[in-house]
Amino acid sequence: MLVDTNTIVPMTDANQNFSRVVRIVDENGMAVIIKNNKPRYVVVDFSEYDSISAAMQMRREKIDSVADKIIDENIEAFSELAK
C-alpha cells in the first residue's frame, strides 16, 4: 500500500497534538499514525469509514456465499471426513 508522506504522523505527535491528525484527515482524507517506524493506525473521516465498513460487509457476505456453495457441492465428502 502506498502512503502519502504528508499523511504520516508519529505516535508521539498524534498523542500530543491530535488536532494535527484531524487537520491532516480533513485535508487528505486520512492520516497514518506510525509507531516504532511502522504504520500502525489509520484515521479516516466517518463517512469514509461507512464506505469501508460496507465494503467489508459485502466481502464477508461473498465469502460466506462461496463457502456455502463449496459445502453444498461437496457435502458427501465433508460428511465422510467428519466420521
Side-chain angles (χ1 to χ4, degrees), residues 5-7 16 36 39-41 44 52 55 60 62 68 70 77:
T5 56
N6 295 323
T7 65
Q16 295 171 359
N36 299 325
R40 182 67 186 258
Y41 305 101
V44 296
I52 293 168
R60 278 192 294 273
K62 185 173 182 176
D68 288 344
I70 290 170

Side-chain angles (χ1 to χ4, degrees), residues 40-60:
R40 182 67 186 258
Y41 305 101
V42 175
V43 180
V44 296
D45 183 84
F46 196 77
S47 62
E48 182 68 19
Y49 171 77
D50 278 344
S51 298
I52 293 168
S53 183
M56 289 174 62
Q57 180 62 32
M58 286 182 2
R59 183 175 182 227
R60 278 192 294 273

Side-chain angles (χ1 to χ4, degrees), residues 3-50:
V3 176
D4 181 355
T5 56
N6 295 323
T7 65
I8 297 174
V9 181
M11 176 65 87
T12 53
D13 290 356
N15 189 32
Q16 295 171 359
N17 190 2
F18 193 72
S19 62
R20 178 175 176 232
V21 175
V22 172
R23 202 168 33 257
I24 290 171
V25 171
D26 288 341
E27 293 170 0
N28 299 288
M30 68 179 227
V32 177
I33 300 174
I34 60 173
K35 185 175 182 179
N36 299 325
N37 293 321
K38 295 179 183 173
R40 182 67 186 258
Y41 305 101
V42 175
V43 180
V44 296
D45 183 84
F46 196 77
S47 62
E48 182 68 19
Y49 171 77
D50 278 344

Side-chain angles (χ1 to χ4, degrees), residues 70-83:
I70 290 170
I71 291 170
D72 288 346
E73 290 174 354
N74 298 286
I75 192 69
E76 290 178 24
F78 287 121
S79 295
E80 189 63 29
L81 290 171
K83 289 181 182 179

